[in-house]
Amino acid sequence: TRISENHYHMTTTTAQAANVLSHLEYYLQIVWPELDVNVVSTTEQWAGAAIAGPKSRDLLQKLFPDIDCSNEGLPFMGFKETTLSGSYARIFRISFSGELAYEVNVESNYGEFMWEEIIKCGKEFDIQPYGTEALSTLRIEMGHVAGSELDGRTIPYDNSLEGLVSKKKDFIGKRSLQKDAYIAADREKIVGVVPLDKKTSIPEGSYIVRDPKAKLPNPKLGHVSASCWSVEYNNPFSLAIIKDGKNMIGKKLFALSPVKNKSIPVEIVSSHYVDPKGERV
């Protein structure tokens, strides 16, 4: 997020924050020493809370009555500086779940106060704190890739992130993306997987195969990276990365789990199981 002309706030994955900082410092010292840039960890300076869901804008406007929280006033990926009962606050309109969502940061000393204010103002909207399992379900339903899909073997094209790859300018890794293995027609791509009976949960790590009774080693098309029970449709849903994935949509295959001794008939669907047009965010 650009705070001012030469001032940026970078939010990174929680578990890798220290490694990302180390990586940035390496580039500034070794690769680009000519850059006039300093990086510093501000993790302990801020307390943050995500406000997500169809009523999140109403709650945000109640928390911050002096700012314009409309879609035009605070667009997706937008940022505002304001105050919460006199304490400095930052509002980021970003979403991990794919729902309309915001993240509010205040100085760390005011973290508990912010939380209490959010819960108090949210009572009329039936606010509910949610944990990482609920967050995981929301992101899987909407095909939002995370660590399970970004496992060091996939590239942006595999995860339907080609829109983030520039076709005009150079960047680190561009040459690698042009190698034959990465542009092969049958390259593994992310898809959605639904059991035909709409009841049987698919174990994570299951192989996707054409014939569950084929001789070992059974030729696998790919694997299931994440599974959840879709609250939206009240049935199991999984993300998988399989060969020629986009052309497999609509096909009937099998999820095979030797560890769980399960063979589950499945249908391949779009990875964007809920809100495929991204209208909620």
Side-chain angles (χ1 to χ4, degrees), residues 11-280:
T11 308
T12 184
T13 175
T14 309
Q16 299 294 328
N19 290 337
V20 170
L21 177 63
S22 176
H23 189 67
L24 293 172
E25 288 175 334
Y26 167 80
Y27 269 92
L28 289 174
Q29 292 179 33
I30 307 298
V31 182
W32 294 313
E34 70 277 8
L35 294 184
D36 184 15
V37 175
N38 291 311
V39 293
V40 61
S41 172
T42 60
T43 299
E44 295 179 354
Q45 290 180 236
W46 298 99
I51 303 174
K55 298 178 182 178
S56 57
R57 180 180 284 121
D58 298 331
L59 172 54
L60 194 74
Q61 191 67 76
K62 190 176 178 182
L63 273 172
F64 301 100
D66 296 333
I67 68 169
D68 180 4
C69 295
S70 68
N71 197 49
E72 296 72 29
L74 184 53
F76 182 58
M77 299 293 279
F79 164 74
K80 280 188 180 292
E81 292 179 290
T82 184
T83 58
L84 180 63
S85 297
S87 61
Y88 177 62
R90 291 173 171 175
I91 304 172
F92 307 86
R93 185 174 166 192
I94 51 180
S95 175
F96 183 82
S97 63
E99 296 285 344
L100 175 65
Y102 306 86
E103 290 190 14
V104 180
N105 283 189
V106 296
E107 293 164 302
S108 54
N109 289 349
Y110 297 93
E112 186 176 1
F113 169 76
M114 172 184 64
W115 176 266
E116 291 172 349
E117 285 295 295
I118 290 173
I119 297 299
K120 183 173 70 176
C121 290
K123 281 185 178 179
E124 70 170 280
F125 306 111
D126 296 323
I127 195 169
Q128 176 66 49
Y130 68 106
T132 52
E133 286 194 32
L135 185 65
S136 182
T137 295
L138 288 165
R139 77 94 182 168
I140 293 169
E141 282 185 321
M142 295 196 178
H144 184 124
V145 296
S148 302
E149 293 75 43
L150 310 173
D151 62 1
R153 296 176 293 178
T154 57
I155 60 173
Y157 305 139
D158 302 342
N159 286 307
S160 297
L161 299 177
E162 55 269 17
L164 300 179
V165 179
S166 175
K167 294 177 174 59
K168 298 178 181 178
K169 62 186 178 184
D170 198 12
F171 55 87
I172 296 169
K174 183 173 184 178
R175 285 178 298 168
S176 295
L177 294 178
Q178 297 168 343
K179 292 189 174 182
D180 291 345
Y182 289 144
I183 58 176
D186 65 346
R187 176 115 187 136
E188 294 184 359
K189 306 273 186 179
I190 190 168
V191 294
V193 182
V194 178
L196 293 185
D197 65 5
K198 301 292 181 73
K199 295 178 182 177
T200 308
S201 294
I202 302 170
E204 293 181 354
S206 297
Y207 296 143
I208 301 296
V209 299
R210 295 182 188 273
D211 180 4
K213 297 180 181 179
K215 290 184 179 180
L216 296 175
N218 194 325
K220 66 172 184 171
L221 298 172
H223 69 281
V224 173
S225 61
S227 293
C228 71
W229 187 278
S230 171
V231 179
E232 191 87 11
Y233 294 115
N234 196 30
N235 60 254
F237 175 72
S238 300
L239 293 176
I241 299 176
I242 66 173
K243 288 184 179 178
D244 198 20
K246 299 307 179 189
N247 291 324
M248 287 290 185
I249 291 176
K251 298 284 181 68
K252 306 293 193 294
L253 301 171
F254 294 87
L256 188 64
S257 175
V259 175
K260 301 285 187 179
N261 195 27
K262 285 186 176 182
S263 175
I264 305 166
V266 300
E267 180 180 0
I268 305 302
V269 298
S270 169
S271 58
H272 302 116
Y273 195 47
V274 173
D275 189 30
K277 294 182 180 179
E279 294 169 333
R280 294 185 185 180

